[in-house]
Amino acid sequence: MDYEDYFRAQIDTLRREGRYRIFADIERQAGHYPRAIRHDAGATRDVTVWCSNDYLGMGQHPKVLAAMHEALDRYGAGAGGTRNISGTNHEHVLLERDLAELHGKDAALLFNSGYMSNWAALSTLASRMPGCVIVSDEMNHASMIEGMRHSRAERRVFRHNDVADLRRLLAELDPKAPKLVAFESVYSMDGDIAPIADICDVADEFRAMTYCDEVHGVGLYGATGGGVTERDGVAHRLTVIQGTLAKAFGVIGGYIAGSAAMCDFVRSYASGFIFSTALPPAVAAGARAAIAHLRDSGMERDRLHERARTLRRRLDAAGVPHLPNPSHIVPVMVCDPVVCKTISDILLDEHGIYVQPINYPTVTRGTERLRITPSPVHTDADMDRLVSALEDVWARFSLKRAA
Ligand code: PMP
């Protein structure tokens, strides 16, 4: 077999389907978000970023940067080991306390990414509990699905956000079997929000544990940034709240929060926790600064939601179709992979607007989209440029307009 030929053929398939991904080579500029510099074929150009998950711009916030600089000078660059073997820095201990407090839980446990926290926690919880059955929302993130698969536990999938279907599946299970209901608060691609209280009611009825991925909720919802579970007053009802430090908190890392026994269990058995070097202490310090700032300040959250509402209104006025949802995520629907990619290229090349196309397998085929993420620092003028560029490409490709 010619291995190189094989690799190239596989890539060609992606290209034909319009799914081949090309990185935009951009330089974020501290203090200038959402502006960035794009490198392309030796030239540079200013662009406006409209697809970042640094939803509040905290990755460039002066308090976060100062905390990271200070921690770097104080502790050095890396953690120096796994958490068990020399890598537990005081910053990790403090951050886990802050995260537990943020969610009103006894404990929290850090991982190197949100992906790893889902993978490790779900695979450990389900595989280390004999007979455990996972009941999973059909739209759950890849990191949850991979963790559940790895656990080899029995898995049932309920229709997206459908509490009646969840109830039906739970009722079919052995009443004595341990059960885990896994879902997200804000779904990243459609931007819809789970009926968490109703899910908890049904889970309680069948004595199931609950696992909520709050990756797109923490920092952005709730009076102190504790996520949708805080906003809805249900954090105490969840067995596990999982989150990331990489989106609203602007750095990197993931975590779970819950009871002391549950966190200790995962800490003691999860290979994805045990065998990986701890996060750099400066990252932990930056995350603490972001969490503290967003606990005390609701300004960024309020402005983010106002910006999302304003963008929707403007898209409506321009007839550009977008998925209605109650969150900060604005999915503009193109519904064709090749057109979606082409439009994204035109926006970048001709308008200096950076919004990545979202194609299969991230979303189902036929629902390809531009996932637009406004932030508190996008101005009305930025929005004018975005909406008029979208109107332009919509006309050029004779795309379907919203009614
Ligand atoms: N869960 C969801 C719902 C996500 O969208 C993502 C990342 N896009 C993750 C988990 C993984 O988080 P991280 O980027 O911190 O690895």
Side-chain angles (χ1 to χ4, degrees), residues 53 113-116 118 141 143-144 184 186 188-189 213 215-216 242-247 252-254:
N53 280 339
S113 68
Y115 189 103
M116 184 46 78
N118 271 335
H141 188 257
S143 56
M144 300 172 82
E184 299 178 22
V186 181
S188 64
M189 292 300 146
D213 173 322
V215 160
H216 297 278
Q242 178 272 346
T244 186
L245 306 174
K247 301 191 194 288
I252 187 148

Side-chain angles (χ1 to χ4, degrees), residues 277-299:
T277 299
L279 287 170
V283 167
R288 288 185 61 224
I291 292 166
H293 179 79
L294 294 175
R295 179 191 60 213
D296 299 336
S297 164
M299 202 176 71

Side-chain angles (χ1 to χ4, degrees), residues 342-359:
T342 311
I343 285 180
S344 159
D345 289 345
I346 292 173
L347 290 174
L348 189 57
D349 294 337
E350 296 180 19
H351 300 272
I353 288 171
Y354 177 38
V355 50
Q356 204 51 43
I358 308 283
N359 286 350

Side-chain angles (χ1 to χ4, degrees), residues 370-388:
L370 300 171
R371 176 182 181 271
I372 299 182
T373 50
S375 78
V377 290
H378 284 99
T379 61
D380 284 345
D382 291 331
M383 261 185 222
D384 289 342
R385 280 192 291 274
L386 172 69
V387 174
S388 94

Side-chain angles (χ1 to χ4, degrees), residues 218-402:
V218 288
L220 306 170
Y221 298 83
T224 67
V228 181
T229 47
E230 180 189 28
R231 184 197 73 179
D232 293 358
V234 292
H236 63 287
R237 301 187 66 186
L238 276 304
T239 315
V240 182
I241 294 177
Q242 178 272 346
T244 186
L245 306 174
K247 301 191 194 288
F249 298 134
V251 280
I252 187 148
Y255 65 90
I256 56 168
S259 71
M262 186 279 294
C263 287
D264 205 18
F265 176 76
V266 176
R267 184 185 74 89
S268 305
Y269 286 104
S271 82
F273 175 83
I274 297 170
F275 297 108
S276 190
T277 299
L279 287 170
V283 167
R288 288 185 61 224
I291 292 166
H293 179 79
L294 294 175
R295 179 191 60 213
D296 299 336
S297 164
M299 202 176 71
E300 292 80 3
R301 269 187 291 283
D302 292 346
R303 172 89 175 148
L304 170 77
H305 296 297
E306 178 279 322
R307 292 284 79 191
R309 282 192 302 273
T310 303
L311 179 57
R312 284 174 204 289
R313 261 203 320 275
R314 294 197 176 191
L315 291 172
D316 283 340
V320 175
H322 58 96
L323 266 191
N325 69 47
S327 77
H328 58 284
I329 296 164
V330 183
V332 165
M333 305 307 284
V334 181
C335 304
D336 179 282
V338 176
V339 178
C340 197
K341 168 85 179 76
T342 311
I343 285 180
S344 159
D345 289 345
I346 292 173
L347 290 174
L348 189 57
D349 294 337
E350 296 180 19
H351 300 272
I353 288 171
Y354 177 38
V355 50
Q356 204 51 43
I358 308 283
N359 286 350
Y360 175 83
T362 310
V363 294
T364 46
R365 289 183 206 272
T367 70
E368 292 79 10
R369 65 197 67 183
L370 300 171
R371 176 182 181 271
I372 299 182
T373 50
S375 78
V377 290
H378 284 99
T379 61
D380 284 345
D382 291 331
M383 261 185 222
D384 289 342
R385 280 192 291 274
L386 172 69
V387 174
S388 94
L390 286 169
E391 278 182 301
D392 172 47
V393 287
W394 242 253
R396 214 191 294 181
F397 288 84
S398 307
L399 290 173
K400 206 167 150 232
R401 292 189 165 268

